[in-house]
Short mmCIF file of all heavy atoms in Angstrom, two decimals:
data_model
loop_
_atom_site.label_atom_id
_atom_site.label_comp_id
_atom_site.label_asym_id
_atom_site.label_seq_id
_atom_site.Cartn_x
_atom_site.Cartn_y
_atom_site.Cartn_z
N MET Y 33 33.86 -47.72 9.15
CA MET Y 33 32.45 -48.06 9.27
C MET Y 33 32.20 -49.54 8.98
O MET Y 33 31.37 -50.19 9.62
CB MET Y 33 31.61 -47.17 8.34
CG MET Y 33 30.11 -47.43 8.45
SD MET Y 33 29.43 -47.36 10.14
CE MET Y 33 29.59 -45.62 10.51
N ALA Y 39 31.37 -55.36 13.90
CA ALA Y 39 31.46 -55.50 15.35
C ALA Y 39 30.11 -55.33 16.04
O ALA Y 39 29.84 -55.97 17.06
CB ALA Y 39 32.47 -54.50 15.90
N TYR Y 46 21.80 -54.93 5.81
CA TYR Y 46 21.93 -54.28 4.51
C TYR Y 46 22.26 -55.31 3.43
O TYR Y 46 22.77 -56.39 3.73
CB TYR Y 46 23.04 -53.22 4.56
CG TYR Y 46 22.69 -52.05 5.44
CD1 TYR Y 46 22.96 -52.08 6.80
CD2 TYR Y 46 22.06 -50.92 4.92
CE1 TYR Y 46 22.63 -51.01 7.63
CE2 TYR Y 46 21.73 -49.84 5.73
CZ TYR Y 46 22.01 -49.89 7.08
OH TYR Y 46 21.68 -48.84 7.89
N ALA Y 49 27.96 -54.36 2.22
CA ALA Y 49 28.71 -53.35 2.97
C ALA Y 49 28.66 -52.02 2.23
O ALA Y 49 28.55 -50.96 2.85
CB ALA Y 49 30.15 -53.80 3.16
N GLU Y 50 28.73 -52.07 0.90
CA GLU Y 50 28.71 -50.84 0.10
C GLU Y 50 27.40 -50.10 0.27
O GLU Y 50 27.36 -48.87 0.33
CB GLU Y 50 28.95 -51.18 -1.37
CG GLU Y 50 30.38 -51.59 -1.71
CD GLU Y 50 30.77 -52.93 -1.11
OE1 GLU Y 50 29.88 -53.80 -0.93
OE2 GLU Y 50 31.97 -53.11 -0.80
N TRP Y 56 25.30 -44.40 5.09
CA TRP Y 56 26.00 -43.60 6.10
C TRP Y 56 26.50 -42.28 5.52
O TRP Y 56 26.35 -41.22 6.13
CB TRP Y 56 27.17 -44.41 6.67
CG TRP Y 56 28.05 -43.67 7.64
CD1 TRP Y 56 29.35 -43.29 7.44
CD2 TRP Y 56 27.71 -43.25 8.96
NE1 TRP Y 56 29.84 -42.66 8.55
CE2 TRP Y 56 28.85 -42.62 9.51
CE3 TRP Y 56 26.55 -43.35 9.73
CZ2 TRP Y 56 28.87 -42.08 10.79
CZ3 TRP Y 56 26.57 -42.81 11.02
CH2 TRP Y 56 27.72 -42.18 11.53
N GLU Y 71 21.50 -24.74 11.67
CA GLU Y 71 20.29 -25.28 12.28
C GLU Y 71 20.59 -26.07 13.55
O GLU Y 71 19.75 -26.14 14.46
CB GLU Y 71 19.57 -26.19 11.29
CG GLU Y 71 19.08 -25.47 10.03
CD GLU Y 71 18.50 -26.42 9.01
OE1 GLU Y 71 18.24 -27.59 9.36
OE2 GLU Y 71 18.30 -26.00 7.85
N VAL Y 84 19.51 -41.36 12.88
CA VAL Y 84 18.90 -41.61 11.58
C VAL Y 84 19.43 -42.90 10.98
O VAL Y 84 18.67 -43.72 10.45
CB VAL Y 84 19.15 -40.42 10.62
CG1 VAL Y 84 18.63 -40.74 9.22
CG2 VAL Y 84 18.48 -39.15 11.15
N GLY Y 87 17.91 -45.74 12.66
CA GLY Y 87 16.45 -45.74 12.67
C GLY Y 87 15.89 -45.73 14.07
O GLY Y 87 14.82 -46.28 14.34
N PRO Y 89 15.08 -42.82 16.51
CA PRO Y 89 15.01 -41.40 16.88
C PRO Y 89 14.98 -41.16 18.38
O PRO Y 89 15.30 -40.06 18.84
CB PRO Y 89 13.70 -40.93 16.22
CG PRO Y 89 12.91 -42.19 16.00
CD PRO Y 89 13.92 -43.26 15.72
N THR Y 92 19.03 -41.88 23.30
CA THR Y 92 19.47 -40.77 24.17
C THR Y 92 20.80 -40.23 23.68
O THR Y 92 21.52 -40.88 22.91
CB THR Y 92 19.63 -41.25 25.62
OG1 THR Y 92 20.74 -42.17 25.70
CG2 THR Y 92 18.35 -41.92 26.13
N ASP Y 98 27.92 -42.92 22.69
CA ASP Y 98 28.64 -44.18 22.89
C ASP Y 98 28.77 -44.95 21.58
O ASP Y 98 29.83 -45.50 21.27
CB ASP Y 98 27.94 -45.04 23.94
CG ASP Y 98 28.09 -44.49 25.35
OD1 ASP Y 98 28.94 -43.59 25.55
OD2 ASP Y 98 27.36 -44.95 26.25
N SER Y 125 58.20 -25.92 2.92
CA SER Y 125 58.39 -25.51 4.31
C SER Y 125 59.21 -24.22 4.45
O SER Y 125 58.94 -23.40 5.33
CB SER Y 125 59.05 -26.63 5.11
OG SER Y 125 60.34 -26.92 4.60
N CYS Y 177 42.91 -15.93 6.30
CA CYS Y 177 43.87 -14.89 5.89
C CYS Y 177 44.18 -13.95 7.04
O CYS Y 177 45.34 -13.58 7.26
CB CYS Y 177 43.29 -14.09 4.71
SG CYS Y 177 43.03 -15.04 3.20
N ASP Y 192 39.72 -30.35 -1.73
CA ASP Y 192 39.29 -31.40 -2.66
C ASP Y 192 37.91 -31.19 -3.25
O ASP Y 192 37.54 -31.86 -4.22
CB ASP Y 192 39.29 -32.76 -1.93
CG ASP Y 192 38.16 -32.86 -0.93
OD1 ASP Y 192 38.20 -32.15 0.09
OD2 ASP Y 192 37.22 -33.66 -1.15
N ALA Y 204 36.46 -15.67 -2.67
CA ALA Y 204 36.95 -14.89 -1.52
C ALA Y 204 38.24 -14.15 -1.87
O ALA Y 204 38.76 -13.39 -1.03
CB ALA Y 204 37.17 -15.80 -0.32
N VAL Y 209 43.10 -23.69 -5.40
CA VAL Y 209 43.67 -24.89 -6.01
C VAL Y 209 42.80 -26.09 -5.64
O VAL Y 209 42.66 -26.43 -4.46
CB VAL Y 209 45.12 -25.14 -5.54
CG1 VAL Y 209 45.70 -26.36 -6.26
CG2 VAL Y 209 45.99 -23.91 -5.79
N ALA Y 218 35.42 -36.48 -9.52
CA ALA Y 218 36.25 -36.58 -10.73
C ALA Y 218 35.46 -36.28 -11.99
O ALA Y 218 36.02 -35.81 -12.99
CB ALA Y 218 36.87 -37.97 -10.81
N ARG Y 228 43.14 -26.64 -11.20
CA ARG Y 228 42.89 -28.07 -10.95
C ARG Y 228 44.18 -28.85 -11.08
O ARG Y 228 44.86 -28.79 -12.11
CB ARG Y 228 41.87 -28.57 -11.97
CG ARG Y 228 41.40 -30.01 -11.78
CD ARG Y 228 40.39 -30.33 -12.86
NE ARG Y 228 39.77 -31.62 -12.71
CZ ARG Y 228 38.84 -32.10 -13.53
NH1 ARG Y 228 38.44 -31.35 -14.56
NH2 ARG Y 228 38.32 -33.30 -13.33
N PRO Y 236 54.04 -27.00 -5.93
CA PRO Y 236 55.18 -26.07 -5.87
C PRO Y 236 55.40 -25.31 -7.17
O PRO Y 236 55.64 -24.09 -7.14
CB PRO Y 236 56.37 -26.98 -5.55
CG PRO Y 236 55.75 -28.11 -4.78
CD PRO Y 236 54.43 -28.36 -5.45
N GLY Y 240 55.01 -21.23 -7.86
CA GLY Y 240 56.18 -20.50 -8.34
C GLY Y 240 55.94 -19.73 -9.60
O GLY Y 240 56.80 -18.97 -10.04
#
Side-chain angles (χ1 to χ4, degrees):
M33 182 52 69
Y46 292 87
E50 288 68 30
W56 175 248
E71 297 174 13
V84 175
T92 67
D98 288 346
S125 62
C177 296
D192 72 291
V209 183
R228 185 179 186 179

